[in-house]
Amino acid sequence: MKFEYTISKMNFSTAGEASSNIKKTLKLLGIDSQKIRRASIAAYEAEINIAIHSNGGKIILVIDKDHLDLIAEDCGPGIANIDDAMKVGYSTATHEIREMGFGAGMGLPNIKKCSDKFQIESELGEFTRLTVTIYL
Ligand SMILES: Nc1ncnc2c1ncn2[C@@H]1O[C@H](COP(=O)(O)OP(=O)(O)OP(=O)(O)O)[C@@H](O)[C@H]1O
Ligand SMILES: [Mg+2]
């Protein structure tokens, strides 16, 4: 099964909708609540990152027999240094974004923590793609 959710850039009135719909879908499918919790956190952080740091993108939810995948991909600007971006506390968020409560530099480490398998790929000026796998 495959579901796709679009995320637009800097739209704070719709930010959080994709992850909340992902949560609903997983509940309807009767997935274990701890797995839903981890998937929802990962989806939320990935969604906010796309809204805040990218030019827009999407999250694809794929559900298989024994695992689910969340694929979050956007259309740039990409991440210059992935090792830095993965560090707790590292953030390029602007003052305005920080005033809205984002920019602690916790999102990516949190996504990794919620994942059984985690992959991050990025090409500067092109895209960022996260692949999160949670075993069911
Ligand atoms: N989709 C993305 N596109 C471009 N840069 C990104 C993307 N996601 C993350 N980054 C970069 O990686 C940094 C770290 O991301 P992370 O989610 O850990 O922290 P944050 O978004 O800055 O703060 P928080 O998630 O705690 O609100 C960001 O500040 C940004 O520089
Ligand atoms: Mg973040």
Side-chain angles (χ1 to χ4, degrees), residues 17-38:
E17 270 181 16
S19 44
S20 137
N21 284 326
I22 287 170
K23 190 175 187 174
K24 273 185 210 152
T25 300
L26 295 175
K27 272 190 186 163
L28 281 172
L29 291 169
I31 306 279
D32 169 77
S33 63
Q34 270 309 310
K35 318 254 172 189
I36 295 180
R37 209 184 135 260
R38 286 162 57 202

PDB file of all heavy atoms in Angstrom, residues 17-38:
ATOM      1  N   GLU A  17      -0.154  18.662   8.812  1.00  0.00           N
ATOM      2  CA  GLU A  17      -1.289  17.909   8.248  1.00  0.00           C
ATOM      3  C   GLU A  17      -0.868  16.553   7.696  1.00  0.00           C
ATOM      4  O   GLU A  17      -1.559  15.550   7.911  1.00  0.00           O
ATOM      5  CB  GLU A  17      -1.964  18.702   7.123  1.00  0.00           C
ATOM      6  CG  GLU A  17      -3.062  19.584   7.628  1.00  0.00           C
ATOM      7  CD  GLU A  17      -3.757  20.361   6.521  1.00  0.00           C
ATOM      8  OE1 GLU A  17      -3.609  20.010   5.325  1.00  0.00           O
ATOM      9  OE2 GLU A  17      -4.445  21.333   6.863  1.00  0.00           O
ATOM     10  N   ALA A  18       0.258  16.523   6.994  1.00  0.00           N
ATOM     11  CA  ALA A  18       0.709  15.267   6.393  1.00  0.00           C
ATOM     12  C   ALA A  18       0.962  14.232   7.489  1.00  0.00           C
ATOM     13  O   ALA A  18       0.445  13.111   7.424  1.00  0.00           O
ATOM     14  CB  ALA A  18       1.973  15.495   5.564  1.00  0.00           C
ATOM     15  N   SER A  19       1.706  14.635   8.528  1.00  0.00           N
ATOM     16  CA  SER A  19       2.024  13.652   9.579  1.00  0.00           C
ATOM     17  C   SER A  19       0.782  13.246  10.353  1.00  0.00           C
ATOM     18  O   SER A  19       0.660  12.097  10.786  1.00  0.00           O
ATOM     19  CB  SER A  19       3.117  14.167  10.517  1.00  0.00           C
ATOM     20  OG  SER A  19       2.914  15.492  10.871  1.00  0.00           O
ATOM     21  N   SER A  20      -0.151  14.174  10.506  1.00  0.00           N
ATOM     22  CA  SER A  20      -1.380  13.819  11.207  1.00  0.00           C
ATOM     23  C   SER A  20      -2.226  12.858  10.363  1.00  0.00           C
ATOM     24  O   SER A  20      -2.850  11.928  10.897  1.00  0.00           O
ATOM     25  CB  SER A  20      -2.086  15.115  11.615  1.00  0.00           C
ATOM     26  OG  SER A  20      -3.424  15.066  11.396  1.00  0.00           O
ATOM     27  N   ASN A  21      -2.215  13.028   9.046  1.00  0.00           N
ATOM     28  CA  ASN A  21      -2.918  12.077   8.172  1.00  0.00           C
ATOM     29  C   ASN A  21      -2.224  10.718   8.133  1.00  0.00           C
ATOM     30  O   ASN A  21      -2.893   9.673   8.053  1.00  0.00           O
ATOM     31  CB  ASN A  21      -3.038  12.654   6.756  1.00  0.00           C
ATOM     32  CG  ASN A  21      -4.114  13.728   6.690  1.00  0.00           C
ATOM     33  OD1 ASN A  21      -5.131  13.641   7.377  1.00  0.00           O
ATOM     34  ND2 ASN A  21      -3.888  14.753   5.893  1.00  0.00           N
ATOM     35  N   ILE A  22      -0.909  10.741   8.207  1.00  0.00           N
ATOM     36  CA  ILE A  22      -0.155   9.477   8.252  1.00  0.00           C
ATOM     37  C   ILE A  22      -0.538   8.706   9.518  1.00  0.00           C
ATOM     38  O   ILE A  22      -0.805   7.501   9.487  1.00  0.00           O
ATOM     39  CB  ILE A  22       1.369   9.756   8.180  1.00  0.00           C
ATOM     40  CG1 ILE A  22       1.744  10.171   6.754  1.00  0.00           C
ATOM     41  CG2 ILE A  22       2.196   8.549   8.649  1.00  0.00           C
ATOM     42  CD1 ILE A  22       3.143  10.700   6.563  1.00  0.00           C
ATOM     43  N   LYS A  23      -0.614   9.431  10.628  1.00  0.00           N
ATOM     44  CA  LYS A  23      -0.996   8.810  11.899  1.00  0.00           C
ATOM     45  C   LYS A  23      -2.387   8.172  11.800  1.00  0.00           C
ATOM     46  O   LYS A  23      -2.600   7.033  12.211  1.00  0.00           O
ATOM     47  CB  LYS A  23      -0.973   9.881  12.985  1.00  0.00           C
ATOM     48  CG  LYS A  23      -1.108   9.362  14.389  1.00  0.00           C
ATOM     49  CD  LYS A  23      -0.940  10.508  15.370  1.00  0.00           C
ATOM     50  CE  LYS A  23      -0.889  10.034  16.792  1.00  0.00           C
ATOM     51  NZ  LYS A  23      -0.582  11.129  17.723  1.00  0.00           N
ATOM     52  N   LYS A  24      -3.333   8.930  11.211  1.00  0.00           N
ATOM     53  CA  LYS A  24      -4.701   8.421  11.040  1.00  0.00           C
ATOM     54  C   LYS A  24      -4.715   7.151  10.204  1.00  0.00           C
ATOM     55  O   LYS A  24      -5.407   6.179  10.521  1.00  0.00           O
ATOM     56  CB  LYS A  24      -5.566   9.480  10.339  1.00  0.00           C
ATOM     57  CG  LYS A  24      -6.181  10.463  11.305  1.00  0.00           C
ATOM     58  CD  LYS A  24      -7.118  11.412  10.550  1.00  0.00           C
ATOM     59  CE  LYS A  24      -7.140  12.759  11.257  1.00  0.00           C
ATOM     60  NZ  LYS A  24      -7.426  13.877  10.359  1.00  0.00           N
ATOM     61  N   THR A  25      -3.971   7.182   9.104  1.00  0.00           N
ATOM     62  CA  THR A  25      -3.924   6.027   8.207  1.00  0.00           C
ATOM     63  C   THR A  25      -3.394   4.795   8.941  1.00  0.00           C
ATOM     64  O   THR A  25      -3.964   3.700   8.844  1.00  0.00           O
ATOM     65  CB  THR A  25      -3.018   6.341   6.987  1.00  0.00           C
ATOM     66  OG1 THR A  25      -3.568   7.468   6.319  1.00  0.00           O
ATOM     67  CG2 THR A  25      -2.914   5.170   6.036  1.00  0.00           C
ATOM     68  N   LEU A  26      -2.320   4.978   9.710  1.00  0.00           N
ATOM     69  CA  LEU A  26      -1.720   3.842  10.425  1.00  0.00           C
ATOM     70  C   LEU A  26      -2.675   3.294  11.480  1.00  0.00           C
ATOM     71  O   LEU A  26      -2.754   2.079  11.694  1.00  0.00           O
ATOM     72  CB  LEU A  26      -0.382   4.262  11.053  1.00  0.00           C
ATOM     73  CG  LEU A  26       0.718   4.635  10.044  1.00  0.00           C
ATOM     74  CD1 LEU A  26       1.958   5.156  10.761  1.00  0.00           C
ATOM     75  CD2 LEU A  26       1.085   3.452   9.153  1.00  0.00           C
ATOM     76  N   LYS A  27      -3.418   4.201  12.115  1.00  0.00           N
ATOM     77  CA  LYS A  27      -4.410   3.767  13.112  1.00  0.00           C
ATOM     78  C   LYS A  27      -5.496   2.926  12.459  1.00  0.00           C
ATOM     79  O   LYS A  27      -5.882   1.879  12.967  1.00  0.00           O
ATOM     80  CB  LYS A  27      -5.045   4.985  13.788  1.00  0.00           C
ATOM     81  CG  LYS A  27      -4.279   5.451  15.003  1.00  0.00           C
ATOM     82  CD  LYS A  27      -5.063   6.503  15.780  1.00  0.00           C
ATOM     83  CE  LYS A  27      -4.225   7.069  16.901  1.00  0.00           C
ATOM     84  NZ  LYS A  27      -4.747   8.328  17.441  1.00  0.00           N
ATOM     85  N   LEU A  28      -5.999   3.426  11.312  1.00  0.00           N
ATOM     86  CA  LEU A  28      -7.046   2.699  10.592  1.00  0.00           C
ATOM     87  C   LEU A  28      -6.582   1.307  10.187  1.00  0.00           C
ATOM     88  O   LEU A  28      -7.375   0.374  10.116  1.00  0.00           O
ATOM     89  CB  LEU A  28      -7.459   3.483   9.337  1.00  0.00           C
ATOM     90  CG  LEU A  28      -8.406   4.651   9.561  1.00  0.00           C
ATOM     91  CD1 LEU A  28      -8.582   5.455   8.277  1.00  0.00           C
ATOM     92  CD2 LEU A  28      -9.764   4.148  10.059  1.00  0.00           C
ATOM     93  N   LEU A  29      -5.285   1.187   9.914  1.00  0.00           N
ATOM     94  CA  LEU A  29      -4.751  -0.104   9.485  1.00  0.00           C
ATOM     95  C   LEU A  29      -4.457  -1.028  10.670  1.00  0.00           C
ATOM     96  O   LEU A  29      -4.022  -2.164  10.488  1.00  0.00           O
ATOM     97  CB  LEU A  29      -3.485   0.104   8.649  1.00  0.00           C
ATOM     98  CG  LEU A  29      -3.732   0.744   7.275  1.00  0.00           C
ATOM     99  CD1 LEU A  29      -2.419   1.161   6.642  1.00  0.00           C
ATOM    100  CD2 LEU A  29      -4.484  -0.216   6.355  1.00  0.00           C
ATOM    101  N   GLY A  30      -4.664  -0.491  11.887  1.00  0.00           N
ATOM    102  CA  GLY A  30      -4.495  -1.325  13.068  1.00  0.00           C
ATOM    103  C   GLY A  30      -3.049  -1.617  13.436  1.00  0.00           C
ATOM    104  O   GLY A  30      -2.751  -2.623  14.084  1.00  0.00           O
ATOM    105  N   ILE A  31      -2.155  -0.717  13.043  1.00  0.00           N
ATOM    106  CA  ILE A  31      -0.724  -0.882  13.359  1.00  0.00           C
ATOM    107  C   ILE A  31      -0.523  -0.682  14.868  1.00  0.00           C
ATOM    108  O   ILE A  31      -1.220   0.122  15.491  1.00  0.00           O
ATOM    109  CB  ILE A  31       0.112   0.162  12.566  1.00  0.00           C
ATOM    110  CG1 ILE A  31      -0.183   0.097  11.067  1.00  0.00           C
ATOM    111  CG2 ILE A  31       1.600   0.067  12.887  1.00  0.00           C
ATOM    112  CD1 ILE A  31       0.483  -0.953  10.281  1.00  0.00           C
ATOM    113  N   ASP A  32       0.441  -1.378  15.422  1.00  0.00           N
ATOM    114  CA  ASP A  32       0.794  -1.291  16.846  1.00  0.00           C
ATOM    115  C   ASP A  32       1.060   0.166  17.268  1.00  0.00           C
ATOM    116  O   ASP A  32       1.740   0.908  16.566  1.00  0.00           O
ATOM    117  CB  ASP A  32       2.053  -2.144  17.065  1.00  0.00           C
ATOM    118  CG  ASP A  32       2.661  -1.930  18.424  1.00  0.00           C
ATOM    119  OD1 ASP A  32       2.119  -2.477  19.397  1.00  0.00           O
ATOM    120  OD2 ASP A  32       3.662  -1.196  18.521  1.00  0.00           O
ATOM    121  N   SER A  33       0.534   0.552  18.432  1.00  0.00           N
ATOM    122  CA  SER A  33       0.542   1.970  18.814  1.00  0.00           C
ATOM    123  C   SER A  33       1.951   2.530  19.034  1.00  0.00           C
ATOM    124  O   SER A  33       2.207   3.697  18.762  1.00  0.00           O
ATOM    125  CB  SER A  33      -0.315   2.189  20.053  1.00  0.00           C
ATOM    126  OG  SER A  33       0.234   1.480  21.126  1.00  0.00           O
ATOM    127  N   GLN A  34       2.864   1.715  19.524  1.00  0.00           N
ATOM    128  CA  GLN A  34       4.251   2.183  19.693  1.00  0.00           C
ATOM    129  C   GLN A  34       4.910   2.483  18.348  1.00  0.00           C
ATOM    130  O   GLN A  34       5.676   3.441  18.214  1.00  0.00           O
ATOM    131  CB  GLN A  34       5.074   1.126  20.447  1.00  0.00           C
ATOM    132  CG  GLN A  34       5.045   1.297  21.956  1.00  0.00           C
ATOM    133  CD  GLN A  34       5.395   2.724  22.390  1.00  0.00           C
ATOM    134  OE1 GLN A  34       6.401   3.302  21.972  1.00  0.00           O
ATOM    135  NE2 GLN A  34       4.544   3.317  23.217  1.00  0.00           N
ATOM    136  N   LYS A  35       4.592   1.675  17.354  1.00  0.00           N
ATOM    137  CA  LYS A  35       5.150   1.876  16.005  1.00  0.00           C
ATOM    138  C   LYS A  35       4.519   3.121  15.388  1.00  0.00           C
ATOM    139  O   LYS A  35       5.186   3.891  14.707  1.00  0.00           O
ATOM    140  CB  LYS A  35       4.878   0.675  15.099  1.00  0.00           C
ATOM    141  CG  LYS A  35       5.077  -0.653  15.783  1.00  0.00           C
ATOM    142  CD  LYS A  35       6.317  -1.347  15.357  1.00  0.00           C
ATOM    143  CE  LYS A  35       6.521  -2.569  16.251  1.00  0.00           C
ATOM    144  NZ  LYS A  35       7.773  -3.223  16.081  1.00  0.00           N
ATOM    145  N   ILE A  36       3.223   3.308  15.647  1.00  0.00           N
ATOM    146  CA  ILE A  36       2.547   4.515  15.140  1.00  0.00           C
ATOM    147  C   ILE A  36       3.190   5.746  15.752  1.00  0.00           C
ATOM    148  O   ILE A  36       3.438   6.742  15.074  1.00  0.00           O
ATOM    149  CB  ILE A  36       1.036   4.499  15.468  1.00  0.00           C
ATOM    150  CG1 ILE A  36       0.345   3.357  14.726  1.00  0.00           C
ATOM    151  CG2 ILE A  36       0.394   5.843  15.117  1.00  0.00           C
ATOM    152  CD1 ILE A  36      -1.145   3.249  14.986  1.00  0.00           C
ATOM    153  N   ARG A  37       3.492   5.663  17.043  1.00  0.00           N
ATOM    154  CA  ARG A  37       4.104   6.801  17.731  1.00  0.00           C
ATOM    155  C   ARG A  37       5.437   7.171  17.079  1.00  0.00           C
ATOM    156  O   ARG A  37       5.699   8.325  16.773  1.00  0.00           O
ATOM    157  CB  ARG A  37       4.310   6.438  19.204  1.00  0.00           C
ATOM    158  CG  ARG A  37       4.264   7.638  20.099  1.00  0.00           C
ATOM    159  CD  ARG A  37       4.557   7.291  21.557  1.00  0.00           C
ATOM    160  NE  ARG A  37       5.478   8.274  22.069  1.00  0.00           N
ATOM    161  CZ  ARG A  37       6.775   8.096  22.190  1.00  0.00           C
ATOM    162  NH1 ARG A  37       7.324   6.955  21.856  1.00  0.00           N
ATOM    163  NH2 ARG A  37       7.524   9.072  22.645  1.00  0.00           N
ATOM    164  N   ARG A  38       6.267   6.171  16.853  1.00  0.00           N
ATOM    165  CA  ARG A  38       7.582   6.431  16.244  1.00  0.00           C
ATOM    166  C   ARG A  38       7.424   6.965  14.819  1.00  0.00           C
ATOM    167  O   ARG A  38       8.101   7.919  14.421  1.00  0.00           O
ATOM    168  CB  ARG A  38       8.406   5.147  16.246  1.00  0.00           C
ATOM    169  CG  ARG A  38       8.933   4.801  17.647  1.00  0.00           C
ATOM    170  CD  ARG A  38       9.368   3.358  17.735  1.00  0.00           C
ATOM    171  NE  ARG A  38      10.372   3.031  16.743  1.00  0.00           N
ATOM    172  CZ  ARG A  38      10.628   1.794  16.296  1.00  0.00           C
ATOM    173  NH1 ARG A  38       9.935   0.767  16.758  1.00  0.00           N
ATOM    174  NH2 ARG A  38      11.548   1.593  15.392  1.00  0.00           N
TER     175      ARG A  38
END
